[in-house]
Amino acid sequence: MPDTIYARPDQYDLEHEGDDSDVRFHVELVRRYRPGRVLELGCGSGRVTLPLAAAAAEHNSSIVGIDTDERMLEQARKKAEALDPGARSRLSLETGDLRTWRPGAPFDLVLVPCSTLSHLLSLDDQLAAWRTAWDNLAPGGRFVVDLTMPDLAAYADSLQTPPRILLQMDIDAEAPEGGDRLIRYRTVRYLPHLQRARIHFLYDAFSASEAADRYVSDFESHVYFPREVELLFRLTGFEVEERWGDYRFRPLRAASRQLIVAGRKPAR
């Protein structure tokens, strides 16, 4: 089994230390839509889910987060103990696959933050995720996906003959307490015939109490393009309402780093 960052929830959280612009975006999104029930697909360690639960009391909503990885869910449950009782009462964390999970009771908003849908490599799996969101939504409910715009400049070197693979250090994170530090390097190779990025992450983890640890985490990531995402929404019955290019709700542009799309299930 590959040694992925998801097998190390503490280091996953350290990897995202101080990286909360998307969290603020999703909290604001819930405030704008004022849904009664919110579902987060692929909630992981609760990095987005728990702040949503903390804000839920403002509009009397409830939050359900699902994930397939029990280690990440356990981390989320442990962190949820720090929430006040009112927020904890509005939060449910459950084991489930975003391609198939259907509990029965409908939601008003379904979210998929942090490019989680990029882990779905086949069109069948992507359609299954969009259909799961549709089936879990009440009429008039919204499905919002947060993806990364294709970084064609980063892919250019890997498209040369022979391909060039550049090593980049893209994260150097330190815990606010305890002295832990995580440095991440990565290489990316784009496979245009598969519309896929082959990513190798190399981690150096340092701790004040333990020996340094180095490991490799390999990913295959589907590269979404804007019109493709809109087609997935249309094909599964959604009306595309919004396309944003960043976490400040600005429109999608050529230089945008994010690809955030909101689709609405018709009320009829």
Side-chain angles (χ1 to χ4, degrees):
M1 181 177 180
D3 190 2
T4 72
I5 189 68
Y6 303 125
R8 303 163 183 252
D10 288 332
Q11 292 184 13
Y12 173 84
D13 284 339
L14 180 56
E15 181 180 38
H16 290 279
E17 180 66 34
D19 177 18
D20 58 358
S21 58
D22 62 330
V23 177
R24 294 194 300 271
F25 170 87
H26 286 96
V27 169
E28 174 61 23
L29 195 69
V30 168
R31 287 175 177 152
R32 290 186 182 192
Y33 287 153
R34 303 187 67 82
R37 282 170 50 81
V38 180
L39 171 63
E40 183 187 345
L41 301 176
C43 67
S45 68
R47 190 177 66 88
V48 175
T49 328
L50 272 59
L52 290 178
E58 296 180 16
H59 42 80
N60 197 33
S61 66
S62 61
I63 311 294
V64 176
I66 71 161
D67 205 280
T68 57
D69 194 312
E70 290 294 339
R71 293 161 297 193
M72 295 289 275
L73 284 172
E74 185 58 32
Q75 177 84 337
R77 294 185 182 109
K78 182 172 68 174
K79 293 192 298 184
E81 295 173 2
L83 294 173
D84 66 62
R88 286 202 306 272
S89 69
R90 298 173 183 276
L91 172 65
S92 177
L93 297 166
E94 303 183 19
T95 304
D97 190 315
L98 60 80
R99 297 167 295 183
T100 58
W101 191 80
R102 290 170 174 81
F107 293 85
D108 305 296
L109 177 63
V110 177
L111 303 172
V112 193
C114 205
S115 290
T116 298
L117 289 169
S118 294
H119 292 296
L120 303 180
L121 302 182
S122 73
L123 183 56
D124 287 341
D125 281 347
Q126 293 157 13
L127 286 169
W130 259 261
R131 287 170 178 148
T132 294
W134 172 277
D135 290 344
N136 282 321
L137 279 170
R142 293 175 172 90
F143 179 38
V144 180
V145 303
D146 173 14
L147 298 161
T148 303
M149 277 285 279
D151 188 351
L152 299 182
Y155 302 154
D157 282 320
S158 72
L159 295 176
Q160 295 188 32
T161 304
R164 294 176 58 204
I165 309 297
L166 299 181
L167 179 67
Q168 301 172 300
M169 186 181 80
D170 64 341
I171 288 179
D172 185 355
E174 295 187 50
E177 299 177 2
D180 291 346
R181 182 179 181 184
L182 186 71
I183 299 177
R184 188 179 81 177
Y185 310 85
R186 72 170 183 168
T187 67
V188 180
R189 182 176 181 186
Y190 182 55
L191 308 176
H193 64 300
L194 298 175
Q195 204 170 310
R196 187 177 303 176
R198 182 166 291 161
I199 306 171
H200 303 293
F201 290 117
L202 175 63
Y203 290 93
D204 286 327
F206 303 93
S207 170
S209 59
E210 300 177 6
D213 184 20
R214 167 169 281 193
Y215 59 98
V216 176
S217 189
D218 297 326
F219 287 94
E220 297 273 329
S221 177
H222 181 75
V223 178
Y224 288 91
F225 287 83
R227 288 171 65 90
E228 170 192 12
V229 175
E230 184 166 344
L231 282 171
L232 283 165
F233 273 99
R234 291 190 183 190
L235 186 60
T236 47
F238 288 97
E239 300 169 349
V240 174
E241 277 193 331
E242 299 279 0
R243 298 195 313 167
W244 297 292
D246 60 25
Y247 295 126
R248 297 171 63 184
F249 293 91
R250 292 183 294 193
L252 186 68
R253 297 186 174 93
S256 295
R257 300 292 298 274
Q258 300 303 129
L259 171 58
I260 307 168
V261 184
R264 186 171 182 268
K265 185 174 182 177
R268 59 184 179 275

